[in-house]
Amino acid sequence: MYLSVDLLDGRGFNFLTIAIAVIALVSGTIGVIYARRALFPPKREIAYSLESSAPLLNNASNLQNGISVIHNGTTLQNPYVTTLKIRNSGRHAVASEHYDQGRPLTLDLGKPIMDLTSSAPGSYSAQGTSITYGPELLASGHGVKFTALTEGKPTLTIRHYFIDTKVIDEARKSFRPSYVDLTSILAALMGVISAILSIWAS
């Protein structure tokens, strides 16, 4: 009984009030974080970029020196070599099941693709003016780079059918604050509790 009276009196009562408030704050924060994760599944993110595009010939060299580019027996009038990249810029892997109905990501260059190479093996192909990729697992932080030979200067257009996955232009990607995980939040709250206890004990 003496202990109960002592705790509920003056300084002890103030400490209990602060401790209960801090515990409630920690519990509420954890609840909000898990509720948000349950209601809003984590977004995956794919970033794409056209890194470079350069002509193999210019008018001066073509006219003055008679230089031409021949690919598989076909003379190309305006050949371009283009490098483009797709990258998993999110925190979660993009797996085969995230391609709706198994439809691939399409990168349309708007000009006939004469040849195509890739930095990594996988499900990709070139048809007409388009490169298709997937369905294919793309782990977080991983990417694939393509080098294409086109007849004419390309312009990149993207078509996709991803599920719960955002697709963004790397060049237009704006600054976003870094993700603060649950561990960081709890560490900060524990620091607050330690500070309060230190003040109370002094």
Side-chain angles (χ1 to χ4, degrees):
M1 181 65 68
Y2 174 78
L3 178 60
S4 298
V5 173
D6 186 56
L7 286 175
L8 296 175
D9 182 56
R11 192 175 183 183
F13 179 77
N14 291 336
F15 169 71
L16 281 178
T17 303
I18 294 173
I20 292 172
V22 171
I23 292 172
L25 177 62
V26 173
S27 302
T29 302
I30 295 174
V32 168
I33 291 173
Y34 279 99
R36 184 180 182 278
R37 289 182 177 180
L39 293 174
F40 304 99
K43 282 286 187 180
R44 295 163 182 84
E45 185 177 273
I46 295 288
Y48 65 90
S49 61
L50 198 157
E51 296 189 335
S52 64
S53 185
L56 287 181
L57 299 173
N58 57 50
N59 291 334
S61 65
N62 195 21
L63 293 175
Q64 294 176 9
N65 302 318
I67 297 175
S68 62
V69 175
I70 300 175
H71 180 267
N72 290 338
T74 301
T75 300
L76 304 183
Q77 302 300 318
N78 189 24
Y80 270 74
V81 173
T82 299
T83 301
L84 54 154
K85 183 178 181 179
I86 57 174
R87 180 177 67 89
N88 185 339
S89 54
R91 294 182 292 108
H92 303 276
V94 176
S96 299
E97 59 264 26
H98 298 125
Y99 295 75
D100 185 34
Q101 299 180 17
R103 289 177 289 184
L105 170 67
T106 300
L107 303 95
D108 192 341
L109 297 180
K111 298 295 181 182
I113 299 172
M114 311 307 295
D115 204 354
L116 178 68
T117 60
S118 171
S119 63
S123 302
Y124 72 91
S125 64
Q127 286 188 332
T129 64
S130 298
I131 302 168
T132 59
Y133 177 82
E136 186 80 21
L137 172 66
L138 194 59
S140 176
H142 289 213
V144 181
K145 185 176 291 187
F146 299 101
T147 302
L149 173 66
T150 62
E151 175 64 293
K153 184 177 181 179
T155 56
L156 179 59
T157 304
I158 299 291
R159 295 193 301 274
H160 70 90
Y161 306 93
F162 287 116
I163 300 171
D164 291 328
T165 304
K166 188 177 181 180
V167 178
I168 62 171
D169 186 346
E170 189 86 69
R172 299 179 181 177
K173 186 176 180 180
S174 58
F175 172 79
R176 296 174 300 174
S178 59
Y179 172 74
V180 180
D181 59 16
L182 180 59
T183 304
S184 300
I185 294 174
L186 291 179
L189 290 174
M190 290 305 295
V192 172
I193 295 174
S194 298
I196 293 172
L197 291 176
S198 298
I199 295 172
W200 179 80
S202 60

